[in-house]
Amino acid sequence: MPLTAEPLDICDEAPSPRQQAVLDAVLSLIVEGDDPLTMDAVARRASCSKETLYKWFGDRDGLLTATVRWQASRVHAGRYEVHGLDAATLRDNLQDFAESWLAVIASRSSVALNRIAVAHAGSHKSNLGAIVLANGRFAIGERVKPVLEAGRAAGLLAFEDGEAAFRTFFGLVGRDIQIRLLLGDAIPLDVAEIRSDAARAVEQFLTLYGQA
Amino acid sequence: MPLTAEPLDICDEAPSPRQQAVLDAVLSLIVEGDDPLTMDAVARRASCSKETLYKWFGDRDGLLTATVRWQASRVHAGRYEVHGLDAATLRDNLQDFAESWLAVIASRSSVALNRIAVAHAGSHKSNLGAIVLANGRFAIGERVKPVLEAGRAAGLLAFEDGEAAFRTFFGLVGRDIQIRLLLGDAIPLDVAEIRSDAARAVEQFLTLYGQA
DNA sequence: GCCGAACCGTACCGTACAGTACGGCAATGC
DNA sequence: GCATTGCCGTACTGTACGGTACGGTTCGGC
């Protein structure tokens, strides 16, 4: 097993440092968003040869997939406490979720990555959209639902279906923001705005699902 | 001024019948979604020459733009009564909005068109995304807000900012549906499901904004 | 010092597709 | 009858880009 990078065909393995540098180059190109993200541009930015690109990632789709995974691996935030939940902690947790989710979907890299994945989902030939979904919408759902259920167990929330409750929360937080950003609308969203947006969403969610 | 079609360069004019047939051909190709929507495919499907396509629509972007406008011109639904609003009528109106909006965003043509527009918004060189936004999200906003304000005038709703209230309604209706569909997730959404989804959204909205 | 592996840089190939040119045909005007 | 016009169908051009091939360089192992 050499120290150098192996091809990550069925890419469940973590990328080597050099591969991470390549993926960061892809991300930087995506975020800048001026060039149409060609393999030549990636090779140039990453100071590597296209041959290496294809050896490591198989093809363009493989490179994109690895990039999405790489980006996702950096986003996953900390765990949340679900034992001995009181009203204030529940509210704080939901506020945290809402803020970080808004920050993610408003980031240039998320917008660009989602654009690529959406375009890809049209020409059906890879599961890039599914990967983005699994690491975005569904990942956050799996992290929020335990909190909601803990809230219910503590008598703070009332709902039948945790999934449905989460989807309502999701809608209250995101509203029209993601689709507008994807379609090129320039919404100014600074930190203060994100915070107040999140607070409003949490307030509304607690109005709908809060117990007493 | 001949009866035949003129180029619609600054395409605010309505397309001629023959041009409408071409645009319908584009839509049918988009909805089928198998081919990558090449100009050759359009010409073949519409039984016209590429030369005519370029003469009428300028270039590929012009054709896409005209198609989006054409599709939008068929979607705009009827007006809504805002005088003498009672609680039941308000609820019915909101229910109608929610149902028709869900039906639109879940339709194959909407998903495909939005995919194209999103992809286009990435490579910034035309305002396709802006057009989709203007005829989708913003058009429905302009139609719902008067209803909300009429509801407030009738003492049925309470809110400060009509835009904010609408955005909450939008979020409650759409939740994660549009982004999931755009990313290729296959959500089964039949008429019954749309109806109950819309009813839940209206119920939640009235819980948040209803007066007494 | 030598070998081989990994890799960079660059040149190259093939294809898909936007956009153009042109011959032919049908309809209209005179 | 003949010219003109609008359009279809097809052939063509140019180019961008995914993917491949290969010479040159560095580096670790022996």
Side-chain angles (χ1 to χ4, degrees):
Chain A
M1 188 65 156
L3 283 178
T4 54
E6 286 291 290
L8 23 92
D9 288 320
I10 319 297
C11 35
D12 293 319
E13 331 150 33
S16 74
R18 183 71 179 101
Q19 290 173 335
Q20 292 177 13
V22 171
L23 297 179
D24 282 330
V26 176
L27 281 176
S28 73
L29 282 174
I30 285 178
V31 168
E32 292 169 20
D34 301 318
D35 318 278
L37 193 63
T38 167
M39 298 295 277
D40 281 281
V42 172
R44 224 174 305 123
R45 172 67 58 98
S47 294
C48 73
S49 73
K50 288 210 293 175
E51 194 173 25
T52 303
L53 249 34
Y54 284 101
K55 183 180 175 190
W56 284 350
F57 304 103
D59 57 0
R60 188 171 184 272
D61 272 18
L63 178 60
L64 256 28
T65 302
T67 304
V68 168
R69 287 192 211 270
W70 172 236
Q71 161 81 354
S73 76
R74 328 189 69 168
V75 165
H76 293 324
R79 294 267 132 242
Y80 287 81
E81 196 51 58
V82 295
H83 295 296
L85 205 61
D86 61 3
T89 312
L90 174 63
R91 185 183 241 97
D92 284 354
N93 278 348
L94 294 180
Q95 174 86 18
D96 264 15
F97 275 121
E99 280 183 31
S100 66
W101 178 244
L102 282 173
V104 166
I105 65 173
S107 69
R108 286 180 68 95
S109 56
S110 166
V111 170
L113 239 24
N114 273 276
R115 284 210 185 111
I116 293 175
V118 164
H120 228 120
S123 59
H124 33 80
K125 61 182 174 182
S126 87
N127 46 358
L128 239 187
I131 294 170
V132 169
L133 226 31
N135 289 288
R137 152 68 179 84
F138 289 119
I140 194 178
E142 291 315 307
R143 284 168 58 222
V144 170
K145 272 191 284 182
V147 173
L148 298 184
E149 273 149 17
R152 180 174 58 181
L156 300 168
L157 297 175
F159 55 83
E160 293 277 311
D161 181 355
E163 174 73 9
F166 167 70
R167 292 181 73 194
T168 293
F169 184 56
F170 185 95
L172 286 171
V173 173
R175 299 188 292 175
D176 57 354
I177 291 180
Q178 194 165 19
I179 187 63
R180 281 171 68 178
L181 288 173
L182 288 179
L183 285 170
D185 199 9
I187 311 178
L189 256 196
D190 55 11
V191 181
E193 193 117 15
I194 284 180
R195 197 186 316 267
S196 67
D197 255 23
R200 174 206 42 79
V202 170
E203 213 56 48
Q204 291 176 325
F205 181 76
L206 291 176
T207 301
L208 290 175
Y209 288 95
Q211 190 73 297
Chain B
M1 189 67 158
L3 284 179
T4 53
E6 287 290 292
L8 26 92
D9 289 320
I10 318 297
C11 35
D12 293 318
E13 331 153 30
S16 73
R18 183 72 180 103
Q19 289 172 336
Q20 291 179 13
V22 171
L23 297 179
D24 281 330
V26 176
L27 281 175
S28 74
L29 282 174
I30 285 178
V31 169
E32 291 169 23
D34 300 318
D35 318 280
L37 194 62
T38 165
M39 297 297 275
D40 281 281
V42 172
R44 223 173 307 121
R45 172 65 60 97
S47 293
C48 72
S49 73
K50 288 210 294 176
E51 194 174 23
T52 303
L53 248 36
Y54 284 101
K55 182 179 176 189
W56 285 350
F57 303 102
D59 58 0
R60 189 171 183 273
D61 273 17
L63 178 61
L64 255 29
T65 303
T67 303
V68 168
R69 286 192 211 269
W70 173 236
Q71 161 80 354
S73 75
R74 329 189 67 169
V75 165
H76 293 326
R79 296 262 133 246
Y80 286 79
E81 196 51 59
V82 295
H83 294 299
L85 205 60
D86 60 3
T89 310
L90 174 63
R91 185 183 241 98
D92 283 355
N93 277 349
L94 294 180
Q95 174 85 19
D96 264 15
F97 276 121
E99 281 184 31
S100 66
W101 179 244
L102 282 173
V104 165
I105 65 174
S107 69
R108 288 180 66 96
S109 56
S110 166
V111 171
L113 238 25
N114 272 276
R115 285 212 183 107
I116 292 175
V118 164
H120 226 137
S123 60
H124 36 78
K125 61 180 173 181
S126 86
N127 46 358
L128 240 187
I131 293 171
V132 169
L133 226 31
N135 291 286
R137 152 71 179 84
F138 289 118
I140 195 177
E142 290 316 305
R143 283 167 58 221
V144 170
K145 272 191 284 183
V147 173
L148 298 183
E149 273 150 18
R152 179 174 57 180
L156 300 168
L157 298 174
F159 55 84
E160 293 278 310
D161 181 354
E163 173 73 7
F166 167 70
R167 292 181 74 195
T168 294
F169 184 56
F170 185 95
L172 286 170
V173 173
R175 297 188 293 177
D176 57 355
I177 291 180
Q178 195 165 19
I179 187 63
R180 283 172 67 179
L181 288 173
L182 287 180
L183 285 171
D185 198 9
I187 310 178
L189 256 196
D190 54 11
V191 181
E193 193 117 14
I194 284 180
R195 198 187 315 267
S196 67
D197 256 25
R200 175 206 41 78
V202 170
E203 212 58 47
Q204 291 177 325
F205 181 76
L206 291 177
T207 300
L208 290 176
Y209 289 95
Q211 189 75 297

